[in-house]
Amino acid sequence: MSKLYTGAEIVFKCFEDQGVEFIFGYPGGAVLPIYDELKNHTSIKHILVRHEQGAGHAAEGYARSSGKPGIILVTSGPGVTNVVTALTDAYMDSVPLVCISGQVPTHLIGTDAFQECDTTGITRPCTKHNWLVKNIEDLPRILHEAFHIATTGRPGPVLVDIPKDIQFAKTIYFKPKKEKKLNGKSHNNFNQKQIDQFIDLIVKSKKPIFYTGGGVINSGPKASESLRELVRLTGFPITSTLQGLGAFPGEDNQFLGMLGMHGTYEANNAMHDCDLLINIGARFDDRITGKIDEFSPNSKKIHIDIDPSSINKIIKVDLAIVGDVNEVIKKIIKTINKKKLNLQKSNKPQTSNWWEQIQKWRSKDSLGFVNSDKTIKPQYAVQRLYQLTKNQDTFITTEVGQHQMWAAQHYKFNKPNRWMTSGGLGTMGYGLPAAVGVQIAHPKKLVIDIAGEASVLMTMQEMSTAVQYHLPIKIFILNNQYMGMVRQWQELLHEKNYSESYSEALPDFVKMAEAFGCKGIRVKDPKHLDESINEMIKFDGPVIFDCLVDPNENCFPMIPSGKPHNQMILGPLDKKKNKITGRGKSLV
Amino acid sequence: MAKSKSAYSLPTKKEKTDTHIIVVWVDNEAGVLARVVGLFSGRGYNIESLAVAEVDLKKNISRITIVTTGTPQVIDQIKLQLRKLVPVHNVADFKRDDKNVIFREMALFKIVTKKKQIKKCLNVCENFNPVILDKTKKSVVIQITALRREIDLMSIKLKPLGLVSTSRTGAVAMTRGAEFFK
C-alpha cells in the first residue's frame, strides 16, 4: 500500500514537484500545521512579510521578473482578506500566483468561528479559479490543477483554501500528470489561413503600426525575441502599452515609445492615423483607447491574444488570431520566409511617407520638460537614474501615480521582465513589496522601486522584510508631498480644488530608513543628484532615497478624458514654442 | 462640447439589445452556480430568468439556462467569459425568436374560489396543458407549461377568478429536430 501523507505534507510535496523555491507568507492559527511542516523541506525558503498584502505583491514581483508562479501562504480570515488586493491586482495584470490559505476546521465552517471568513466567496471574482478543499483525497489533484490553471493560457491568480483538519488528515499523494486539458480549454486556436490573411494585410498596408502589450512578456523571453525579429523583418513602427515595455528595446529607432493617456505624441498620432493596427498581446484598455468611437478610425485591425474574451470586447477587429504570442509570431515569420517576401525592401518605399510623418510628430519632443537648476524636476531625476543605471541589468518596480508615468516615459527598457508595475488595478503600495519579490528572484541584480511618497507609505512596513533578508532594494522616492496624479487631475478637471491631495505631515524618510536599519539619503539640489544616486547604487543594502522634487510638475503629454488620440495636451515646452496652437489651453 | 469632469471616457452610442437564451453545461460542484451568476452581476449583465438542474448523473453535469438581454457585443462577451470558467464544458446561445428552438416555462397557480368557478379557470388555461395537482372545496392548484408572455397573460386573466399565489420556473430550451449538442 502507498504511503499516507498529511495534508500539510502534501502541500510541500506538491511545491517540490512544481519546482517552488520561495513562499511569501505570514503564519496564523489556521495554517500552523503547514508552517510546522516547513522545517522538513529545505529546498523551499519562506519569506516572512509584515502584512499579507506585501506577500501578495512580493509574489507578483517574483513571478513577473522570473516567469515562474509566485506562491503565497496565509492564514484564514484577516490573513486572506489582506491578500485580496494583491490577488485582484494579479488578476488584472495576468500574473500567475498560487495562494494557499488556511481555513477553520470543516465542522466549524459556517458558524462564524474565530478568524473565519467566506474565503472562496470573497476571492471568487478576483481569481481565475479557487477551491475549498473539503476532502483530503481531493487535495493532491486540486493543488496540481491550481498550478496548471495559474500558469497556462492567460496567466492569473488561483487560491486553495485548506481547512485545518484537512491539513492534519492523511491520504495518498500522486505526482502531477503532464498536459491535462481542462474541459477542452485549449489555447492555440489559429490556422494557416489566418496567418496568410495577416501577411496579406501587412503587405498591402501603407501606414502600419504594431501595438504590443503585456501578453508578449507573459509569453516568455522567446516571444520578445520573435517580436523583435518580426518588427525588424517588416520595418514597421512599434508602440507598447505600459505592461509591454521591454519587449522591444526602448532606445530602438523603430520604437515610438509608450502609447495611451500619457503616451508619446508620435505613438498616439500614429495609432490614430494608421491604416493597419496590429495588436499583439494587448487588450484595448480604456487608458489606451481614449474615446472609443474615434479610436484609430481608418485602420484595419488585427488582434493576437491568448484570451478569446479579449477579442472584440472593446474594439471590433478585422482579423483575430487566438493563440500564444510566441507561437503565432513564429508561424508568421516562418510563413514570411517561406513565401520569400522581402518585406524590408518591398515595404520601404510603401511606408516611407508614413515614417516621414512619424518623424514630424517625433520632432515635437513630447516628453520634453523645462528643466531647472534650482529644484529637481521629477523627469530629470528619472532620466539621471536611467543614465546612471543603464550600464547594468536593472529591474524597476513602481508604485502608482505621476512617478509611475514618468518612469515609463523616461526609463528605457531593453529586456522583458525588467519592468514591474501595477497597470490594470493601479495599486498604490505595489512597488516596494514587488521589489522585495524581484530581489528574491534576482539576488545579485540592482532592483529599484521608483516611488511616490504617498504610495510608498501604504506598504512601507515591508522595508523590515528587506532588512531581515538582506535584500539591497533601492526605494527611489520622487517626493512632491502631493498625491501628484490626483493633484494634476484636480488642477486640470476640477478648477484647482486640491481636495485632500496634499500630505500635511510626512515622515522624515531618512530617519525612517535608519529606524528600519537601512540607509537613508536625501537630495534636493539638482547639482547633488548624480553623486547621491551613485551613493545609493554603491551601497550594499536597502536604501530609502528621498528625492525632493518640484511639487507642481505635471505629467505630460496627456490625452484628456473622452478625447481621441490626436487631441493631446502637450507640456509647457510646447506652449512656449508654439503659443498660437497651444492645444492645452482649452482645458487648463 | 461639454467639458468632461471625469478621467474616464463618456458612454458612447448605444446598440440595440436582443433577448437571448444562454445554455451552459457545467460540472455540478460546490459554488458553480455562484461563479456563473457572479460573472453576470460582476460584469453588469442582466439575468431575466434562470433554471438549473443536474442532467447527467453519471458525469455530474448540470445544465443552466439563462435568459438575458444585451447588445450583440455583450452577448458575445457573456459566451466568451462563461467559456473561461473552469467548470464550464460548453455554452450555447439562441435568440428568443429563433424558430428552431423550443422554449418552455412552467407555472403553478393557486386559486381560491367557489367550486363553480374552477371550471372557468381551467377553460382559461386550456391551451397550455393545464393539470390539476390539488383540489379542495375552496381551492385548486393548476400547473401549466407555456411561454413567458403566455404565463404573464394567464396570471392577469386568473386574477379576477381568485388567483392568490403564483410560482414559476425560468425558461428551459431545446432545439428542434435530430440535432443536439456534444
Side-chain angles (χ1 to χ4, degrees):
Chain A
M1 204 182 127
S2 304
K3 198 178 167 222
L4 295 178
Y5 296 96
T6 66
E9 284 175 309
I10 287 169
V11 169
F12 281 97
K13 284 200 82 64
C14 168
F15 283 173
E16 283 168 352
D17 285 341
Q18 298 283 353
V20 171
E21 290 171 86
F22 295 98
I23 307 173
F24 300 89
Y26 203 103
V31 274
L32 282 180
I34 297 177
Y35 272 88
D36 199 32
E37 186 57 27
L38 186 62
K39 62 178 188 300
N40 301 326
H41 302 269
T42 46
S43 66
I44 296 169
K45 192 168 160 114
H46 180 269
I47 306 298
L48 175 66
V49 294
R50 299 297 181 266
H51 183 284
E52 288 87 350
Q53 186 190 353
H57 294 320
E60 282 187 89
Y62 178 85
R64 293 176 73 159
S65 63
S66 70
K68 290 184 271 187
I71 315 298
I72 308 163
L73 180 57
V74 293
T75 192
S76 63
V80 79
T81 55
N82 277 344
V83 91
V84 164
T85 302
L87 292 175
T88 313
D89 190 275
Y91 197 37
M92 287 286 258
D93 285 343
S94 311
V95 183
L97 298 183
V98 177
C99 179
I100 308 287
S101 59
Q103 179 59 280
V104 301
T106 37
H107 73 278
L108 286 178
I109 289 177
T111 65
D112 301 317
F114 176 63
Q115 294 196 326
E116 185 194 349
C117 73
D118 177 7
T119 302
T120 45
I122 290 170
T123 58
R124 196 173 290 130
C126 61
T127 52
K128 263 183 96 175
H129 198 61
N130 62 14
W131 299 260
L132 168 62
V133 185
K134 283 188 168 162
N135 296 305
I136 179 69
E137 292 77 29
D138 297 332
L139 186 63
R141 174 185 57 82
I142 288 175
L143 286 170
H144 296 319
E145 234 174 76
F147 274 86
H148 181 79
I149 290 171
T151 52
T152 53
R154 182 175 174 179
V158 297
L159 179 139
V160 183
D161 199 26
I162 312 178
K164 197 167 179 178
D165 55 327
I166 302 291
Q167 298 170 29
F168 284 123
K170 287 187 171 182
T171 192
I172 301 161
Y173 175 76
F174 59 87
K175 287 186 179 288
K177 284 181 209 129
K178 284 219 165 136
E179 284 303 303
K180 206 183 146 221
K181 281 226 174 109
L182 283 160
N183 285 347
K185 289 181 171 56
S186 78
H187 303 297
N188 283 317
N189 254 331
F190 61 96
N191 52 42
Q192 187 62 41
K193 204 177 140 208
Q194 292 169 319
I195 303 290
D196 291 340
Q197 278 176 301
F198 179 98
I199 291 168
D200 194 43
L201 283 167
I202 61 170
V203 169
K204 280 183 191 148
S205 142
K206 291 191 173 69
K207 297 193 282 180
I209 186 163
F210 283 106
Y211 147 48
T212 62
V216 183
I217 312 279
N218 268 335
S219 180
K222 287 234 168 71
S224 295
E225 281 170 34
S226 306
L227 175 72
R228 289 165 196 217
E229 195 183 339
L230 177 65
V231 173
R232 300 226 163 91
L233 204 60
T234 55
F236 292 171
I238 170 170
T239 177
S240 166
T241 66
L242 183 70
Q243 295 301 357
L245 295 175
F248 195 82
E251 288 192 319
D252 193 288
N253 193 47
Q254 273 176 268
F255 188 64
L256 308 187
M258 184 175 74
L259 80 160
M261 186 170 261
H262 293 289
T264 63
Y265 189 70
E266 53 270 30
N268 284 332
N269 274 294
M271 285 291 279
H272 188 269
D273 289 2
C274 65
D275 67 357
L276 177 66
L277 189 159
I278 308 160
N279 174 342
I280 305 182
R283 61 183 178 92
F284 295 109
D285 177 79
D286 66 288
R287 302 291 99 167
I288 294 297
T289 57
K291 194 177 183 188
I292 300 285
D293 304 349
E294 292 173 52
F295 173 76
S296 196
N298 304 314
S299 63
K300 290 257 183 220
K301 297 174 185 72
I302 302 174
H303 192 175
I304 302 173
D305 204 302
I306 200 161
D307 176 4
S309 73
S310 281
I311 287 159
N312 293 332
K313 180 169 73 173
I314 294 156
I315 301 290
K316 287 215 172 101
V317 294
D318 302 278
L319 172 63
I321 304 179
V322 175
D324 177 67
V325 165
N326 191 33
E327 299 294 320
V328 175
I329 301 181
K330 273 194 327 205
K331 191 90 188 175
I332 291 168
I333 294 173
K334 208 172 150 194
T335 312
I336 291 176
N337 289 337
K338 212 163 144 195
K339 292 193 175 173
K340 297 212 172 74
L341 298 167
N342 196 345
L343 285 175
Q344 223 169 359
K345 241 184 202 164
S346 59
N347 266 334
K348 223 170 208 166
Q350 208 170 296
T351 58
S352 64
N353 285 342
W354 180 230
W355 273 110
E356 260 171 51
Q357 177 61 54
I358 288 169
Q359 288 308 333
K360 270 184 212 155
W361 288 322
R362 248 188 193 156
S363 66
K364 278 260 184 192
D365 186 22
S366 60
L367 297 184
F369 57 96
V370 186
N371 209 354
S372 153
D373 54 4
K374 293 198 178 58
T375 58
I376 300 176
K377 291 283 178 174
Q379 302 94 323
Y380 178 69
V382 176
Q383 284 185 347
R384 290 318 300 158
L385 184 70
Y386 172 57
Q387 290 304 330
L388 296 170
T389 57
K390 71 173 183 181
N391 56 346
Q392 51 180 309
D393 191 10
T394 308
F395 290 73
I396 302 286
T397 70
T398 76
E399 312 290 335
V400 170
Q402 283 183 321
H403 68 273
Q404 178 190 28
M405 291 299 112
W406 283 317
Q409 291 172 339
H410 297 280
Y411 205 101
K412 311 289 176 197
F413 296 90
N414 288 313
K415 285 184 188 166
N417 304 98
R418 300 300 188 272
W419 165 247
M420 276 63 56
T421 191
S422 169
L425 193 65
T427 311
M428 290 171 74
Y430 169 88
L432 198 161
V436 167
V438 175
Q439 192 81 76
I440 291 281
H442 307 274
K444 300 264 185 272
K445 299 288 170 70
L446 177 62
V447 180
I448 304 173
D449 170 27
I450 299 181
E453 83 292 337
S455 286
V456 82
L457 280 174
M458 288 194 174
T459 48
M460 183 46 98
Q461 74 286 346
E462 300 307 331
M463 273 322 272
S464 186
T465 309
V467 172
Q468 178 176 340
Y469 297 97
H470 309 290
L471 305 172
I473 56 170
K474 318 296 182 201
I475 311 303
F476 190 80
I477 303 173
L478 298 174
N479 185 347
N480 62 1
Q481 301 155 61
Y482 277 104
M483 291 148 219
M485 195 57 94
V486 176
R487 203 222 63 232
Q488 176 167 345
W489 282 349
Q490 288 172 333
E491 179 179 329
L492 300 176
L493 304 170
H494 295 272
E495 286 85 39
K496 302 192 180 179
N497 175 17
Y498 300 126
S499 180
E500 302 296 321
S501 54
Y502 180 70
S503 304
E504 292 241 350
L506 282 168
D508 180 330
F509 284 104
V510 173
K511 279 190 185 153
M512 192 154 162
E514 284 158 8
F516 274 117
C518 52
K519 188 181 175 68
I521 300 173
R522 178 173 297 122
V523 60
K524 118 177 166 188
D525 188 334
K527 281 198 288 295
H528 300 140
L529 184 61
D530 278 25
E531 55 182 283
S532 301
I533 290 175
N534 281 325
E535 188 190 350
M536 172 185 87
I537 298 166
K538 274 192 208 116
F539 184 75
D540 184 22
V543 177
I544 297 179
F545 189 100
D546 188 16
C547 185
L548 302 175
V549 297
D550 184 348
N552 297 313
E553 194 64 24
N554 281 335
C555 186
F556 290 117
M558 177 181 181
I559 304 177
S561 52
K563 291 284 165 69
H565 276 165
N566 59 348
Q567 293 179 33
M568 300 190 75
I569 312 178
L570 293 172
L573 201 63
D574 180 69
K575 266 176 242 158
K576 251 191 202 166
K577 274 194 220 151
N578 198 346
K579 279 199 171 144
I580 307 154
T581 56
R583 291 164 201 262
K585 274 189 182 166
S586 62
L587 244 149
V588 179
Chain B
M1 192 181 128
K3 197 164 90 178
S4 167
K5 282 269 194 174
S6 164
Y8 292 89
S9 56
L10 301 164
T12 48
K13 58 179 178 216
K14 291 210 173 105
E15 282 179 276
K16 209 176 119 245
T17 63
D18 281 317
T19 301
H20 281 246
I21 284 80
I22 311 262
V23 181
V24 195
W25 287 265
V26 297
D27 288 324
N28 185 15
E29 59 181 33
V32 65
L33 188 61
R35 280 180 214 284
V36 171
V37 172
L39 186 131
F40 275 74
S41 64
R43 292 188 180 265
Y45 309 143
N46 166 45
I47 296 183
E48 261 182 35
S49 83
L50 176 87
V52 51
E54 191 167 67
V55 291
D56 189 330
L57 297 168
K58 240 192 203 153
K59 291 186 192 153
N60 267 323
I61 288 177
S62 290
R63 179 165 169 153
I64 303 176
T65 311
I66 300 169
V67 182
T68 184
T69 51
T71 62
Q73 209 170 355
V74 164
I75 299 292
D76 261 358
Q77 267 296 302
I78 291 175
K79 285 187 283 178
L80 292 166
Q81 294 290 353
L82 280 170
R83 284 201 183 103
K84 273 167 70 177
L85 296 179
V86 172
V88 168
H89 288 261
N90 199 1
V91 181
D93 142 58
F94 315 103
K95 274 194 168 182
R96 179 132 75 184
D97 45 23
D98 191 335
K99 290 278 182 301
N100 273 320
V101 186
I102 307 157
F103 302 110
R104 273 297 173 275
E105 290 183 29
M106 192 177 90
L108 303 180
F109 296 121
K110 179 176 278 187
I111 297 147
V112 178
T113 181
K114 286 177 204 126
K115 213 172 176 185
K116 283 186 279 180
Q117 291 268 36
I118 291 176
K119 190 108 198 282
K120 218 170 172 184
C121 294
L122 286 174
N123 284 342
V124 169
C125 302
E126 76 181 335
N127 287 334
F128 308 112
N129 320 313
V131 181
I132 296 173
L133 299 176
D134 175 64
K135 204 169 166 187
T136 67
K137 279 179 188 160
K138 288 189 289 185
S139 73
V140 63
V141 175
I142 305 172
Q143 166 201 307
I144 64 163
T145 48
L147 296 175
R148 185 189 186 84
R149 56 170 186 280
E150 293 165 345
I151 295 176
D152 289 344
L153 191 71
M154 282 306 102
S155 313
I156 295 168
K157 282 193 175 168
L158 289 171
K159 198 94 204 179
L161 298 174
L163 177 66
V164 292
S165 182
T166 309
S167 175
R168 51 198 285 192
T169 64
V172 288
M174 186 73 77
T175 50
R176 290 181 191 275
E179 283 161 46
F180 63 95
F181 284 91
K182 274 195 304 183

